[in-house]
Amino acid sequence: MHRITLIPGDGIGPEVAAAVVRVIEASGVQIEWEEHIAGQEALDKFGKTLPDELIESIQRNKVALKGPITTPVGKGFTSVNVGLRKALDLYANLRPVRALPNVPCRNPGLDLVVVRENTESLYSGIEHEVVPGVVESLKIITEKASTRISRFAFSYARNQQRKQITAIHKANIMKMSDGLFLKCFEEVGKLYPEIEMRQMIVDNASMQLVMRPEQFDILLCENLYGDIVSDLCAGLIGGLGLVPGANIGERGAVFEAVHGSAPDIAGKGIANPTALLQSAILMLNHIEERKAAEKIETALLKVFTEGKVRTRDIGGTATTDEFAAAVIEQMA
Ligand code: NAI
């Protein structure tokens, strides 16, 4: 029996999380869920967006499955997602982007992975007002974090038999910060001679991703570029409803989709649970429940291959629950 922390999140979070939990349970794997709230709901109830009980639960269980959590724009509380990654030092963000059968998209057959540094850079949101009308936002890049994420990317590449890593940067302009990131990538790469190392400036990389994405295998990005580039990659294979993610550290891992709380479709029961379900497959592999992971993945691929049950974001009419039921039926 595994004990796993479950954070359904808000917006479409609880809808997709419930669907995914049903599929996982139907796979036969024994999990006891410890459910916790976060974000606005937790702020109202406990006066804190990231309750101590939640952090302690993940520290104890070492694994969590998480739905998206809304972050107010411009004002209000700071991101719970960023807070969680920092509190647990989940330094590596892994986002495998793989095209699925029968999904209308620009790049059928695409298979790449975005590895994103998760703890620093501009994405930390370290900002202050210097004087009225002037705001400073700090981009901090360290040798420690850049080396650590490079090691993660190369070791992942070796384990998964991937052939090439492209470091995405803007070291022509940010010579010191992105320059340091690049230097660490090159140093670590020397220990992995079988893996091809490339580097590309982020603006060119964006264009190349749209025009010729098949040239990429693994993209290694600092935090902000990784955030943007992974949504772009999701767009290449049919949208945010499909792409999974994992936040991994030495002491724990949180599995969550790339997408956010999708307020435009929340409460309608039409969100695509595939992204969170694929995150759950990553999670099951992580806890070495490989059979259950394979069973769910095979069923999910069958549903896509048959193409009869599809949610609206990819051209179908199925609801979240109907899609989950179709995956469960394929497992029977
Ligand atoms: P979003 O990812 O929530 O939505 C962007 C677009 O993709 C929307 O049109 C939405 O309907 C669609 N979409 C997303 N997931 C979908 C799914 N599973 N099925 C079908 N369609 C889907 O991005 P947005 O609107 O920029 O962010 C909304 C909120 O989510 C913000 O408060 C943001 O801070 C938060 N957010 C949270 C994340 C997390 O918890 N890890 C990640 C990204 C955003």
Side-chain angles (χ1 to χ4, degrees), residues 18-38:
V20 167
V21 165
R22 270 205 306 284
V23 176
I24 296 176
E25 281 172 358
S27 78
V29 64
Q30 299 288 309
I31 294 178
E32 192 184 315
W33 300 101
E34 263 180 39
E35 196 170 321
H36 286 273
I37 55 169

Side-chain angles (χ1 to χ4, degrees), residues 62-66 81 84-85 89-97 113-119 149 152 156 223 226 230 242-249 252-259 275-287:
K62 312 263 183 287
V63 183
L65 183 66
K66 174 184 166 297
N81 310 302
L84 192 58
R85 292 167 196 169
D89 198 22
L90 304 170
Y91 68 90
N93 186 286
L94 185 70
R95 297 179 159 183
V97 179
V113 179
V114 179
V115 174
R116 164 184 173 192
E117 201 290 323
N118 229 1
T119 62
I149 194 66
F152 178 92
Y156 176 84
N223 208 344
S230 50
L242 305 169
V243 179
N247 300 291
I248 300 171
V254 175
F255 295 83
E256 65 176 338
V258 168
H259 65 71
L276 190 63
L277 187 56
Q278 296 218 79
S279 310
I281 293 171
L282 293 175
M283 180 189 82
L284 290 172
N285 277 315
H286 181 84
I287 60 170

Side-chain angles (χ1 to χ4, degrees), residues 7-328:
I7 310 158
D10 53 41
I12 59 169
E15 301 165 41
V16 288
V20 167
V21 165
R22 270 205 306 284
V23 176
I24 296 176
E25 281 172 358
S27 78
V29 64
Q30 299 288 309
I31 294 178
E32 192 184 315
W33 300 101
E34 263 180 39
E35 196 170 321
H36 286 273
I37 55 169
Q40 186 65 53
E41 197 188 346
L43 187 63
D44 297 342
K45 198 163 167 199
F46 303 119
K48 247 180 161 181
T49 55
L50 204 49
D52 297 342
E53 292 84 347
L54 187 161
I55 303 284
E56 284 158 19
S57 167
I58 304 178
Q59 280 168 337
R60 212 173 33 246
N61 299 331
K62 312 263 183 287
V63 183
L65 183 66
K66 174 184 166 297
I69 297 167
T70 304
T71 310
V73 175
K75 52 187 167 36
F77 57 81
T78 55
S79 167
V80 176
N81 310 302
V82 175
L84 192 58
R85 292 167 196 169
K86 282 198 178 155
L88 299 164
D89 198 22
L90 304 170
Y91 68 90
N93 186 286
L94 185 70
R95 297 179 159 183
V97 179
R98 196 170 45 132
L100 289 160
N102 275 319
V103 174
C105 70
R106 288 179 70 95
N107 297 94
L110 189 67
D111 177 12
L112 56 80
V113 179
V114 179
V115 174
R116 164 184 173 192
E117 201 290 323
N118 229 1
T119 62
E120 53 185 33
S121 168
L122 278 174
Y123 202 87
S124 296
I126 307 169
E127 300 182 318
H128 71 118
E129 188 177 59
V130 182
V131 290
V134 182
V135 165
E136 185 176 32
S137 189
L138 293 180
K139 169 159 173 160
I140 294 173
I141 297 286
T142 64
E143 187 178 335
K144 184 179 168 216
S146 305
T147 301
R148 185 163 73 157
I149 194 66
S150 297
R151 282 203 192 112
F152 178 92
F154 279 102
S155 133
Y156 176 84
R158 186 172 273 174
N159 289 340
Q160 300 289 318
Q161 276 109 43
R162 296 229 168 218
K163 305 263 173 299
Q164 174 219 74
I165 304 181
T166 309
I168 309 297
H169 64 92
K170 191 79 186 171
N172 52 331
I173 303 300
M174 281 163 278
K175 295 186 197 300
M176 292 188 73
S177 53
D178 283 13
L180 177 60
F181 183 80
L182 212 48
K183 185 171 150 270
C184 297
F185 165 70
E186 282 161 359
E187 278 303 309
V188 173
K190 287 179 190 160
L191 304 172
Y192 296 82
E194 79 278 19
I195 294 161
E196 185 196 346
M197 282 196 285
R198 299 200 311 162
Q199 45 149 297
M200 199 177 282
I201 295 174
V202 63
D203 37 356
N204 178 32
S206 307
M207 192 258 316
Q208 296 288 341
L209 274 167
V210 173
M211 297 195 69
R212 241 172 28 83
E214 63 287 347
Q215 69 183 282
F216 297 99
D217 190 353
I218 293 178
L219 293 119
L220 174 63
C221 308
E222 57 89 284
N223 208 344
L224 181 64
Y225 307 151
D227 178 52
I228 298 167
V229 160
S230 50
D231 271 30
L232 192 160
C233 292
L236 299 175
I237 62 144
L240 283 165
L242 305 169
V243 179
N247 300 291
I248 300 171
E250 304 296 341
R251 299 189 303 271
V254 175
F255 295 83
E256 65 176 338
V258 168
H259 65 71
S261 54
D264 53 339
I265 56 165
K268 297 185 180 156
I270 58 170
N272 190 344
T274 303
L276 190 63
L277 187 56
Q278 296 218 79
S279 310
I281 293 171
L282 293 175
M283 180 189 82
L284 290 172
N285 277 315
H286 181 84
I287 60 170
E288 302 199 340
E289 284 288 355
R290 297 189 198 287
K291 266 199 184 139
E294 203 184 317
K295 196 169 170 189
I296 298 175
E297 190 165 23
T298 307
L300 181 68
L301 281 176
K302 273 192 195 152
V303 173
F304 275 99
T305 306
E306 283 185 359
K308 285 190 281 203
V309 185
R310 292 195 292 173
T311 46
R312 286 170 207 222
D313 53 314
I314 52 170
T317 54
T319 62
T320 310
D321 288 347
E322 284 163 357
F323 185 85
V327 177
I328 292 169

